[in-house]
Amino acid sequence: MAKNMKQIEYKFILLGDSTVGKSSIFSRFRSNSFSNNSIFTVGIEKMVVNFDNIEIDKNKNIYKNFKITLFDTAGQERYKAITKSYFRDSKGIILIYSINNITTFEHVQIWLDSIKDSLNDWKRSGYAIMLLGNKLDIIENNINERQVLIEEAEQLCKEQGIYWGGECSAKTFDLKQFKEIFEKFIKEIDRKSTRLNSSHDQISY
């Protein structure tokens, strides 16, 4: 029997330009499906995803249950005011770009600036940001389609103090693969929150 079993509730929000595949990733969690004919999100959609028995500390046999309310947001300019209102309530922010579209990667900095403007001292407040590159399937089919190198994304994360979630494909990755990505992010947030609560020291990834 695992010790110190807890259930913790977090809100996560998907951010990024309107073409990066946020809704497709959202659909993976909702129904483990993908559609080539997905439509743009209007405003905000949400759902609850449970992450049970996440191993926090193997040596101490510590596991926790997490209840994540996941928000899918519209990336169009006219909805950004609505989206910003959800920053403050979101413990985890998943910032997404398209590997085959350099413009969406360049806009990551704009999104980061917007986040920092909305959240005072976000690192010390327990918030965490994960950068995720989507549409890996396009690159696997044609390497010449790649416009953003992994090294560029990793460097941006290092410079900005955010978590690198890696590259993914809403089209070819299944729910299990996405849950593994999110579980690692959840563990980073838990680790960060634990250190903030005990020492109030700033953590960098």
Side-chain angles (χ1 to χ4, degrees), residues 73-132:
T73 65
Q76 298 98 316
E77 184 68 31
R78 64 182 180 275
Y79 293 116
K80 285 188 177 180
I82 299 174
T83 298
K84 288 179 69 173
S85 68
Y86 284 81
F87 289 170
R88 191 169 300 280
D89 291 332
S90 299
K91 190 75 169 182
I93 298 173
I94 297 91
L95 191 48
I96 304 166
Y97 69 93
S98 296
I99 302 168
N100 66 326
N101 188 330
I102 187 65
T103 300
T104 65
F105 181 71
E106 292 171 345
H107 287 175
V108 165
Q109 187 60 58
I110 297 175
W111 285 104
L112 285 171
D113 291 342
S114 180
I115 292 168
K116 293 173 183 178
D117 287 342
S118 300
L119 303 176
N120 295 325
D121 200 8
W122 64 272
K123 290 184 181 180
R124 289 184 177 273
S125 300
Y127 297 97
I129 301 172
M130 175 170 69
L131 182 64
L132 199 59

Side-chain angles (χ1 to χ4, degrees), residues 106-175:
E106 292 171 345
H107 287 175
V108 165
Q109 187 60 58
I110 297 175
W111 285 104
L112 285 171
D113 291 342
S114 180
I115 292 168
K116 293 173 183 178
D117 287 342
S118 300
L119 303 176
N120 295 325
D121 200 8
W122 64 272
K123 290 184 181 180
R124 289 184 177 273
S125 300
Y127 297 97
I129 301 172
M130 175 170 69
L131 182 64
L132 199 59
N134 189 32
K135 304 190 180 181
L136 181 60
D137 57 287
I138 294 176
I139 308 306
E140 291 175 336
N141 291 330
N142 185 355
I143 189 62
N144 293 324
E145 292 288 335
R146 177 180 286 278
Q147 295 187 15
V148 183
L149 299 175
I150 292 178
E151 293 78 7
E152 293 176 295
E154 290 176 333
Q155 181 62 31
L156 177 63
C157 289
K158 182 178 180 180
E159 292 173 353
Q160 297 294 327
I162 64 179
Y163 177 68
W164 171 232
E167 296 183 340
C168 66
S169 168
K171 184 174 183 178
T172 60
F173 277 30
D174 59 19
L175 176 59

Side-chain angles (χ1 to χ4, degrees), residues 12 29 50-56 66 68 130 163 175-190:
F12 282 6
F29 283 100
N50 292 314
F51 292 81
D52 296 329
N53 297 315
I54 294 184
E55 185 179 82
I56 301 300
F66 294 85
I68 305 298
M130 175 170 69
Y163 177 68
L175 176 59
K176 180 180 179 182
Q177 289 171 291
F178 274 107
K179 292 198 77 170
E180 288 174 352
I181 293 172
F182 275 61
E183 283 180 8
K184 291 177 182 179
F185 186 43
I186 290 170
K187 291 173 71 171
E188 288 290 338
I189 294 175
D190 184 79

